[in-house]
Amino acid sequence: MEIRFPLAPKPETEEAEKGRLLFAAGSEFLKGVVAMDGMPPGDKIEVCFAGRSNVGKSTLINAVTGRKALARASNTPGRTQEINFFTIADSHYLVDLPGYGFANAPVKVVEKWQRLLKAYLSGRANLRRAFVLIDSRHGVKAVDEEIMDLLDRSAVPFQVVLTKADKIKQADMPGLLDQVRGALAKHPAAYPEIVATSSEKGVGIPTLRAIIAGII
């Protein structure tokens, strides 16, 4: 029986090398954007990372790019209020979206972030894929479903990336995958593979690099 939404396999040697070379070419912070008129030109392949506050997004971006402090992790969930653009070589933008699920943020601030997020997702023709980060310890939550619904409506393909995969017992992984697969089955924009990662252990980082390098 074929499994829907299997774990992405380790890349072939050639694919892994393409991913390594892409990020070895250099990653730099370009700008933080608070309104659509501040967006850089849509002249590069673009991927974005989205996830709940405290999901480990900044740490994962740093691991993928090989830059320890490229994306600044905050001790205050929801502190990043901008859409942050990073250049990857001369060919890609990597975009860090504001964390969602910030219970303590003022309502007006949340509404502003949501408007900007919706405008971004529907207004970037060069956006090829969104990576939705899910904490392996908690699985898909209601706030994750909301962003997946928004990606469906915006017709943006998205792929789930499990973070902190080293923080759960291997015996608990099948149950986690069942829960995530059940959630993804409801979303037409979901890409049919899941990537399991650990920024701390380096698990899944070559796979994610190869996937980004292969997106055209």
Side-chain angles (χ1 to χ4, degrees):
M1 179 178 173
E2 184 178 358
I3 297 175
R4 292 191 68 188
F5 303 102
L7 285 173
K10 290 184 178 180
E12 298 290 338
T13 302
E14 184 178 347
E15 295 171 337
E17 182 64 4
K18 285 181 179 178
R20 186 192 71 80
L21 289 173
L22 173 65
F23 287 93
S27 309
E28 299 293 339
F29 174 72
L30 179 63
K31 66 187 303 187
V33 174
V34 295
M36 286 299 290
D37 58 8
M39 297 283 171
D43 58 350
K44 292 178 172 62
I45 296 167
E46 192 163 301
V47 297
C48 68
F49 282 52
R52 289 187 292 116
S53 298
N54 271 355
V55 76
K57 181 157 53 68
S58 295
T59 307
L60 181 62
I61 290 173
N62 292 339
V64 169
T65 59
R67 296 279 305 276
K68 290 185 178 180
L70 185 66
R72 290 170 294 178
S74 171
N75 293 325
T76 305
R79 182 177 178 182
T80 303
Q81 301 179 26
E82 301 176 331
I83 294 179
N84 290 311
F85 282 78
F86 303 91
T87 57
I88 308 298
D90 294 321
S91 56
H92 289 63
Y93 287 131
L94 190 155
V95 184
D96 181 10
L97 299 180
Y100 54 85
F102 21 74
N104 296 325
V107 173
K108 288 186 178 180
V109 172
V110 174
E111 290 176 347
K112 180 182 177 182
W113 291 346
Q114 289 174 338
R115 286 195 301 271
L116 179 60
L117 183 59
K118 290 176 182 177
Y120 166 75
L121 291 175
S122 62
R124 294 291 285 183
N126 59 318
L127 176 60
R128 295 292 188 265
R129 190 173 303 174
F131 293 99
V132 177
L133 277 50
I134 302 295
D135 191 321
S136 295
R137 300 169 300 178
H138 306 302
V140 176
K141 300 291 188 182
V143 288
D144 300 313
E145 293 275 14
E146 290 176 13
I147 194 73
M148 292 177 189
D149 286 338
L150 177 57
L151 289 160
D152 286 338
R153 294 194 299 271
S154 303
V156 175
F158 71 87
Q159 185 166 8
V160 159
V161 176
L162 300 175
T163 62
K164 308 178 185 180
D166 60 313
K167 302 299 184 185
I168 67 167
K169 297 177 181 177
Q170 282 302 110
D172 294 334
M173 183 62 81
L176 166 68
L177 290 173
D178 284 346
Q179 193 262 354
V180 173
R181 287 166 178 152
L184 291 178
K186 299 178 286 185
H187 296 282
Y191 189 82
E193 282 185 345
I194 298 167
V195 184
T197 67
S198 164
S199 300
E200 185 176 317
K201 304 293 186 181
V203 174
I205 302 304
T207 301
L208 193 50
R209 287 173 176 164
I211 289 170
I212 294 171
I215 293 174
I216 299 175

